[in-house]
Amino acid sequence: QVQLVESGGGSVQSGGSLRLSCTISGYRYGVYCMAWFRQAPGKEREGVAYINGYGVATYADPVKGRFTISQDIAKNTLYLQMNRLKPEDAAMYYCAYNGGSNYCSRPESDFGYWGQGTQVTVSS
């Protein structure tokens, strides 16, 4: 049974940093794409960062150079380090797992497993 549990959200001032964590159990070791998505009020959910079983990471343009996705396989944990946060980064952040492919496609519909979300608030 696959389970994803996020933590690490909170409130920060513009320019600050946060690190989100997602503990994942039941995933297929070495063959996966895991990702962070976010959804702000009134907006569609969007992909932020992706990483596959080879460790290849990709990012959405708005966060390139500021966010870093990483994983600690021994701890079964996915991270999102967010630096130089902006008010427009405020959203509910979700980790997601695609169920067992190293191909990181972008649509959220390709990810069958989701965490419950963690809130990030950025004040100006």
Side-chain angles (χ1 to χ4, degrees), residues 10-92:
S11 296
V12 65
Q13 288 190 330
S14 181
S17 299
L18 281 175
R19 188 177 79 159
L20 306 183
S21 300
C22 175
T23 301
I24 307 174
S25 58
Y27 71 95
R28 186 178 174 188
Y29 178 76
V31 183
Y32 55 79
C33 179
M34 296 181 186
W36 289 96
F37 285 76
R38 67 186 181 187
Q39 187 169 24
K43 295 187 177 181
E44 294 186 353
R45 189 153 56 182
E46 61 176 354
V48 173
Y50 306 77
I51 190 166
N52 68 9
Y54 298 127
V56 176
T58 54
Y59 299 91
D61 286 343
V63 307
K64 282 182 180 177
R66 300 188 298 121
F67 290 12
T68 302
I69 188 171
S70 64
Q71 55 192 339
D72 186 330
I73 295 173
K75 295 182 178 180
N76 292 328
T77 302
L78 180 73
Y79 300 102
L80 185 68
Q81 178 66 44
M82 305 185 293
N83 298 327
R84 291 184 282 134
L85 281 160
K86 305 175 181 180
E88 52 263 44
D89 294 318
M92 185 72 81

Side-chain angles (χ1 to χ4, degrees), residues 91-110:
M92 185 72 81
Y93 282 72
Y94 301 88
C95 61
Y97 163 58
N98 72 349
S101 168
N102 276 312
Y103 176 62
C104 280
S105 56
R106 296 304 176 102
E108 63 172 285
S109 59
D110 288 350

Side-chain angles (χ1 to χ4, degrees), residues 109-120:
S109 59
D110 288 350
F111 291 82
Y113 302 92
W114 295 82
Q116 81 287 354
T118 186
Q119 183 69 45
V120 171

